[in-house]
Amino acid sequence: MDSETRIKSHYRALLRLGLPIIVGQLGIIMVSFIDNVMVGHHSMNELAAASFVNNLLMLLYVFGIAFGYGLTPMVASSDHRQRHFSVGILFRHSLRVNLWMGVLLVGIAVGLIPLFGVFNLPDELRPVVMPYYWIQVGGLILVMGFNTLKQLYDGMSDTKTPMYVTVTGNFLNMVLNYLLIFGIGFLPELGLVGAGLATLMAR
């Protein structure tokens, strides 16, 4: 194999692994974006509340997701050496640690509530913000659990499966948003709370 062919094969392998990861990361961002767009068609106050909550909690999501990235290289190393038992042990311990990190993030999110005044949050938005905030905080632990599974698959060079799950979850979130925000059919019109429940169920 000449050098040019070898370089092309490296690029193909990189794209095959990297593009699904890019799509998956975009999918994580799209959850909040979809919520904001659809809620904005229902109420401006709810859009303001959703933007506040999503931007605030995104810092915790990023911190939690970054914390879980340590699993990928360890799994990749064990998987390359055909040490599948070690992969299982790594996953088990990582899942435990990440779920505890999710609990810690929930604690931090709860601790931020008394500081809402620092953000100059208008009093009239508090009744709109709080139910949505609590629902989204509950989803932190689910995010950490999924992220552990994602890093496991990424470490085994199967980056497509997490991408498919993320894209499917985004589609489900969008459908449930439409049904629960606007109260389609026999479902009640829940507005921003509906968006929060839709995101929680999709996660």
Side-chain angles (χ1 to χ4, degrees), residues 33-201:
F33 178 76
I34 290 170
D35 282 358
N36 288 344
V37 169
M38 299 187 77
V39 165
H41 284 84
H42 188 262
S43 164
M44 290 305 295
N45 276 349
E46 288 177 337
L47 174 60
S51 298
F52 171 76
V53 172
N54 289 333
N55 284 318
L56 184 61
L57 291 182
M58 184 56 68
L59 296 172
L60 298 181
Y61 285 129
V62 170
F63 181 83
I65 290 171
F67 180 81
Y69 278 173
L71 177 62
T72 305
M74 292 188 289
V75 167
S77 177
S78 295
D79 186 59
H80 178 70
R81 298 173 185 175
Q82 301 295 310
R83 296 178 178 175
H84 303 302
F85 185 73
S86 296
V87 171
I89 293 174
L90 287 167
F91 170 70
R92 184 179 66 189
H93 291 305
S94 180
L95 180 62
R96 185 179 301 151
V97 170
N98 277 292
L99 290 178
W100 276 113
M101 176 56 68
V103 173
L104 175 62
L105 293 177
V106 169
I108 293 172
V110 172
L112 288 173
I113 293 174
L115 302 176
F116 279 3
V118 175
F119 299 102
N120 200 26
L121 183 67
D123 290 337
E124 64 270 17
L125 282 185
R126 272 185 172 268
V128 185
V129 164
M130 293 313 299
Y132 182 68
Y133 186 78
W134 281 114
I135 294 170
Q136 294 290 57
V137 165
L140 281 165
I141 296 176
L142 297 176
V143 169
M144 293 303 295
F146 169 72
N147 189 50
T148 308
L149 287 163
K150 181 183 184 305
Q151 301 314 314
L152 172 70
Y153 276 84
D154 287 352
M156 295 191 297
S157 300
D158 180 6
T159 57
K160 290 183 179 179
T161 298
M163 178 192 69
Y164 293 143
V165 172
T166 302
V167 171
T168 303
N170 273 285
F171 178 74
L172 180 61
N173 179 48
M174 189 164 53
V175 172
L176 291 173
N177 266 349
Y178 178 68
L179 295 175
L180 295 175
I181 291 173
F182 302 103
I184 304 302
F186 64 89
L187 295 171
E189 183 178 341
L190 299 176
L192 183 59
V193 172
L197 291 174
T199 302
L200 186 66
M201 286 187 281

